[in-house]
Amino acid sequence: MKCRGMEEGGIDRRVMLTTLAAAALGAAGPAAAETGVTDTRIKVGQSAVFTGPAKDFGVDYKAGIALAFDKVNKTGGVNGRTLELVSHDDAYEPKKTAENTVKLIDEDKVFALIGYVATGNLIAAMPLAEKAGVPMFAPLVGTTSFRTTHNRYLFHVRASYETELRKIVGHLATLGINNIAVIYQNSAFGKSNLDTCLQIAQGLKVKVVDSVPMEIAATDAKPQVAQLTKAQPGAVVMIMAGKMVEVFLRDYRAAGAASPLYTISVGITDAPGSAQRLNGGLEGLVTASIVPSPQASRLAIVADYRKDRADAGEKIDSYTMLEGYIAARVFVEGVKRAGKALTREGFIKAMEDMGTTKIGDFPLVYGPNNHNGSNFVDLEMYTRSGSLRR
């Protein structure tokens, strides 16, 4: 009878258990999606410099990323999801970058990180991102060590500083200038890329007659100018970023020093402003450029940038903003290829499967063992007004 009773009530009991299970599942909600991803949104985090002497880098880079994200959002997002950029100021201080990164991962709960600025800041943030399994995308950093040591969570877009310095020193060697001096930022960024420059120069049989450090917050470069002038180099290579570049140029021009000057891509951001403040003192400075000119509308990627910028009423217009725009476009392509069921691992695989591709007409290469992106580097010279010509 006991067995018969259970059998007779079996259907009702199964219905009851099924109902309870469904209720429990409903209370818990659907299976958890990837962190930072909902049905309608993808949250992306950034820590960068928005105040202080190097703020132009962070401000312009963020503006370029936001411009590309906003355009995508206005046209329906990526696979139906809009992109939200959460940005925190680190004032160029690595300790603050680490704190911001923890906040972005643990509190803001972002899907990925994008648009970090400066070598020391990336050094502070990268172990935190790697430990949490969060992709770090397109830092404004070209330091060699990040390229030679493969990290599956780190994806570059810009060419490396090694590629830039090889272009500069190789150009000087071709011109027959076989003795140079280097002035470098007294930081992890400056020191590591000084080492890279010394190695390149040795390989090209170019003698580095002196290397002089300078503090990023310096307001006087007269001692550095005097030391470099005494060394009598055939050219001076600048491995610096931010307002310190203007300080050095001001004192270098005032001293009547004549050796030609070369800078890597992060040397000047606000070229028209620098030209005005230096009373034309940018004239003749040669820079490595890792994106095309923002005025070169004949190129598809620049034409897109200029149209989106005009449509948005954006006033910022710089190489750094264009770089941010391109970086964001590459990120969007990776997210798109990862598909509707977006995960961090799926995004990494989509990026690695991208192979040789173009965003607009900007060439990039990615693979399982190659997260370096672009090798585009050109040399351009500043005019008195701050424009560039090849």
Side-chain angles (χ1 to χ4, degrees):
M1 291 294 294
K2 182 176 181 182
C3 293
R4 180 178 173 81
M6 287 182 64
E7 191 174 280
E8 287 178 342
I11 295 175
D12 290 341
R13 181 168 294 184
R14 284 195 297 271
V15 170
M16 180 177 69
L17 290 173
T18 302
T19 302
L20 289 172
L25 181 61
E34 179 64 272
T35 301
V37 179
T38 69
D39 288 342
T40 60
R41 184 192 65 185
I42 303 166
K43 191 184 288 189
V44 187
Q46 178 188 29
S47 176
V49 51
F50 301 126
T51 55
K55 68 178 181 180
D56 288 340
F57 294 105
V59 170
D60 288 19
Y61 206 39
K62 177 186 175 183
I65 294 169
L67 180 66
F69 280 7
D70 288 347
K71 174 61 182 291
V72 169
N73 290 343
K74 288 175 183 175
T75 55
V78 188
N79 296 324
R81 297 183 176 104
T82 57
L83 295 154
E84 178 186 347
L85 180 64
V86 180
S87 299
H88 298 308
D89 181 21
D90 58 33
Y92 213 60
E93 297 175 6
K95 182 175 181 292
K96 184 64 175 175
T97 305
E99 293 170 358
N100 287 348
T101 302
V102 170
K103 182 178 181 181
L104 287 164
I105 294 171
D106 293 346
E107 296 180 29
D108 297 318
K109 297 191 179 302
V110 299
F111 166 73
L113 301 166
I114 192 171
Y116 277 48
V117 175
T119 298
N121 305 71
L122 184 59
I123 289 172
M126 199 59 233
L128 301 169
E130 188 174 8
K131 182 179 179 181
V134 179
M136 172 71 77
F137 197 84
L140 204 160
V141 174
T143 299
T144 305
S145 59
F146 287 114
R147 313 300 178 110
T148 54
T149 303
H150 180 72
N151 186 319
R152 69 185 305 269
Y153 294 102
L154 177 60
F155 287 89
H156 302 280
V157 174
R158 66 161 29 232
S160 68
Y161 294 139
E162 178 183 13
T163 306
E164 294 184 41
L165 289 165
R166 192 169 295 281
K167 186 84 170 184
I168 290 171
V169 179
H171 172 72
L172 291 170
T174 300
L175 294 178
I177 299 175
N178 295 313
N179 64 314
I180 65 172
V182 180
I183 181 164
Y184 64 95
Q185 185 171 308
N186 191 18
S187 66
F189 151 71
K191 292 172 183 176
S192 62
N193 289 296
L194 169 64
D195 290 342
T196 298
C197 187
L198 293 173
Q199 292 170 14
I200 291 169
Q202 183 179 25
L204 294 172
K205 294 182 170 52
V206 173
K207 183 178 181 182
V208 179
V209 294
D210 205 353
S211 56
V212 183
M214 184 170 166
E215 301 300 324
I216 189 170
T219 57
D220 181 357
K222 294 182 184 66
Q224 287 84 359
V225 171
Q227 186 173 337
L228 290 170
T229 302
K230 185 178 179 181
Q232 296 184 323
V236 176
V237 177
M238 304 161 63
I239 304 176
M240 305 189 296
K243 294 295 183 184
M244 65 186 300
V245 176
E246 283 189 29
V247 172
F248 174 74
L249 284 171
R250 179 198 68 201
D251 292 349
Y252 187 84
R253 301 300 191 201
S259 298
L261 297 173
Y262 288 73
T263 179
I264 57 176
S265 60
V266 294
I268 299 290
T269 52
D270 177 22
S274 293
Q276 185 175 20
R277 289 186 289 271
L278 292 168
N279 192 27
L282 275 185
E283 186 172 19
L285 172 65
V286 178
T287 183
S289 299
I290 50 82
V291 294
S293 167
Q295 309 304 319
S297 297
R298 68 186 183 280
L299 302 175
I301 189 66
V302 179
D304 288 349
Y305 160 78
R306 300 216 65 78
K307 182 180 185 304
D308 292 348
R309 183 179 160 276
D311 291 346
E314 176 60 65
K315 294 183 179 180
I316 297 174
D317 187 16
S318 68
Y319 279 72
T320 304
M321 183 177 178
L322 175 57
E323 181 182 345
Y325 176 84
I326 292 172
R329 288 275 302 267
V330 180
F331 179 80
V332 166
E333 182 65 20
V335 171
K336 185 185 300 182
R337 294 188 185 207
K340 185 70 175 176
L342 179 62
T343 65
R344 289 166 174 165
E345 288 298 317
F347 172 74
I348 291 170
K349 186 176 188 307
M351 287 299 305
E352 291 182 338
D353 289 347
M354 200 173 286
T356 299
T357 190
K358 289 184 179 180
I359 300 298
D361 49 6
F362 190 76
L364 300 133
V365 181
Y366 292 103
N369 297 308
N370 177 13
H371 290 188
N372 290 339
S374 170
N375 285 314
F376 177 91
V377 178
D378 205 353
L379 295 182
E380 299 179 289
M381 180 180 288
Y382 284 103
T383 66
R384 184 175 179 81
S385 65
S387 61
L388 282 164
R389 60 184 176 85
R390 283 177 170 79

